Amino acid sequence: MQTSTRTPGAATARTREFLDADAVLALADWVFRWADTRGWAGPDPYDGLTSLLGRLAVHPVLRQTLLQTVKRSPVDLRPVLGIRPLRTATATGTAATACARLADSPPWHERAQRLGRLTAAEQMTGKYAGLWRYEFDVQTRWSYYPASVPNLVATTFCADGCLDSGTLDAEAAGSLGHALLEHLHNGEFFTYTPTSEVLVHNANLMGASLAARLAASGLLPDGLCRRLRTVVGTAIELSLDGQRPDGSWPYGRGSRLGWVDGFHTGYVLLRLEQVAALLDLDVRESLERGTHYYLTHLFDGPVPRYFAGGRSRPDPNNDATAVRMAAWAAEHGFVPTDFASAVLAAVVDRYPGTGGTSRRTPALWASPRWSTAPLVDALTALHSALR
């Protein structure tokens, strides 16, 4: 089924260039090398609380103010505030997944293995053994979680990278499966952090898809596989029930979590399809409504929108996820392939290492976790779709 989506500029020279799978692969290699020579270390949108001032920000409002100021400043404040470049496991895990997609090529296979091993080495020990975390404290409008606490989004991207690259052994997978049930599932759904009771749809579906994937991996004993499969069904139903009549998903359940944005919607659609395929569930109607909403409300032609119905707002993760989702939509027949190439053409020059950069917040676009790793993932997915 194709969803009609206007693609102004789809016939531009840049779009035609990105209809060539080899050109997309060359760009993926270029961006990978740009990040790899830097050791996958750099700024992060949420690293503001690692500063000296972060230690003094004990109130949620102060923490969020500091974090957002560092994130949005057109001048990079990190050197002044003593914020050092970070290599995050989430970035290397995402990049490992991207490289594993091209594992038939020896250089990309080596890259997947190397990044997968780096990611596996960051699996937590102690109380939360088996999970992953962000390497910095985070304050959002709805939650605070320190660097010592795991979260489901980091865990999913890291676990996927290790599973895709074959660098997660049976012992580590078992530890992950037990911890997922013990710390990131509350009896109803998968939670963002061990202390959260808020239903966040993209995180819930990430947890469901990871549980289903672990159960199907062949790495776990039968009893643990059954426990993982048992909790997935209810979690999926809650997020399916949370889909609005227009096809959209709010960020989460609750009056303060009702916004709809591009990259979280993309995560929901990808994870819903993944878990449905693993468990042989029929979610076609929900996927079709969600995809139609995404394509018609979160793009202005080929330019990604950050919020539904809002003006385009450049953001590296949202833009990269839009390319990834356009490739996915083309593979599933929702849009023609040239739409995915047009989306890439519309955003690519904002990224460092591709011939340009964003003037507004250049440090944000140099972030391995928020920018370059998602872009490499999107480019390898688009290359596969074009092939």
Side-chain angles (χ1 to χ4, degrees):
M1 184 194 84
Q2 285 202 354
T3 296
S4 176
T5 304
R6 294 174 58 251
T7 58
T12 65
R14 204 72 197 271
T15 299
R16 289 194 295 272
E17 174 188 352
F18 293 136
L19 281 168
D20 181 351
D22 289 339
V24 173
L25 181 60
L27 180 60
D29 181 67
W30 181 267
V31 177
F32 178 92
R33 290 175 184 274
W34 188 92
D36 203 49
T37 57
R38 291 159 176 79
W40 294 91
D44 191 276
Y46 294 94
D47 61 7
L49 297 183
T50 67
S51 68
L52 298 176
L53 288 178
R55 301 173 188 173
L56 303 176
V58 296
H59 190 277
V61 174
L62 292 176
R63 287 195 294 256
Q64 191 171 18
T65 299
L66 174 60
L67 191 150
Q68 291 295 327
T69 298
V70 173
K71 176 183 177 182
R72 296 176 182 273
S73 174
V75 177
D76 188 8
L77 301 175
R78 291 170 180 82
V80 176
L81 295 175
I83 300 173
R84 298 179 178 180
L86 283 171
R87 185 183 73 198
T88 68
T90 308
T92 58
T94 301
T97 287
C99 297
R101 199 174 281 122
L102 303 173
D104 288 345
S105 164
W108 287 97
H109 176 74
E110 183 279 325
R111 292 169 174 178
Q113 291 286 298
R114 173 163 53 85
L115 293 174
R117 287 192 292 268
L118 282 175
T119 306
E122 296 302 317
Q123 202 172 13
M124 297 179 74
T125 58
K127 178 180 179 180
Y128 298 118
L131 303 175
W132 281 267
R133 63 190 179 100
Y134 289 150
E135 289 78 357
F136 40 80
D137 298 352
V138 176
Q139 176 71 59
T140 69
R141 68 181 78 179
W142 62 274
S143 179
Y144 169 72
Y145 42 101
S148 58
V149 172
N151 72 77
L152 191 47
V153 173
T155 294
T156 302
F157 281 116
C158 292
D160 276 349
C162 293
L163 289 166
D164 290 334
S165 60
T167 53
L168 197 70
D169 61 28
E171 182 180 355
S175 180
L176 171 59
H178 284 293
L180 194 62
L181 291 169
E182 181 180 356
H183 299 298
L184 294 175
H185 188 267
N186 66 0
E188 267 194 295
F189 55 85
F190 291 92
T191 60
Y192 205 105
T193 66
T195 58
S196 173
E197 291 299 323
V198 177
L199 174 59
V200 175
H201 291 298
N202 76 90
N204 179 45
L205 289 171
M206 283 186 179
S209 65
L210 178 56
R213 186 174 187 189
L214 283 171
S217 68
L219 295 171
L220 305 183
D222 290 343
L224 181 54
C225 290
R226 285 193 296 271
R227 289 179 60 201
L228 287 167
R229 291 192 190 98
T230 298
V231 301
V232 169
T234 302
I236 296 171
E237 287 300 322
L238 283 172
S239 283
L240 288 175
D241 289 345
Q243 187 176 22
R244 292 169 173 167
D246 63 4
S248 68
W249 275 273
Y251 176 76
R253 186 169 66 184
S255 59
R256 299 179 61 196
L257 305 176
W259 75 87
V260 180
D261 66 60
F263 68 95
H264 287 121
T265 299
Y267 294 167
V268 166
L269 292 169
L270 285 175
R271 298 300 171 170
L272 180 58
E273 188 219 19
Q274 182 184 42
V275 70
L278 287 166
L279 299 180
D280 195 25
L281 303 175
D282 184 2
V283 296
R284 287 174 296 176
E285 189 269 341
S286 183
L287 270 178
E288 288 182 359
R289 287 194 300 119
T291 303
H292 178 77
Y293 181 92
Y294 176 70
L295 293 170
T296 56
H297 289 80
L298 286 154
F299 286 93
D300 180 10
V303 180
R305 289 185 175 128
Y306 193 93
F307 290 112
R311 291 186 300 175
S312 301
R313 170 178 137 188
D315 177 271
N317 190 37
N318 189 60
D319 289 355
T321 304
V323 177
R324 173 74 180 89
M325 289 304 300
W328 174 85
E331 283 190 301
H332 289 73
F334 290 108
V335 294
T337 306
D338 65 350
F339 177 67
S341 299
V343 175
L344 176 58
V347 304
V348 67
D349 286 337
R350 299 169 181 169
Y351 291 87
T354 63
T357 188
S358 172
R359 296 179 180 178
R360 293 180 60 187
T361 50
L364 184 67
W365 293 81
S367 167
R369 182 181 72 91
W370 201 253
S371 178
T372 49
L375 181 60
V376 175
D377 183 49
L379 290 169
T380 59
L382 178 56
H383 172 265
S384 297
L386 291 170
R387 290 180 64 190

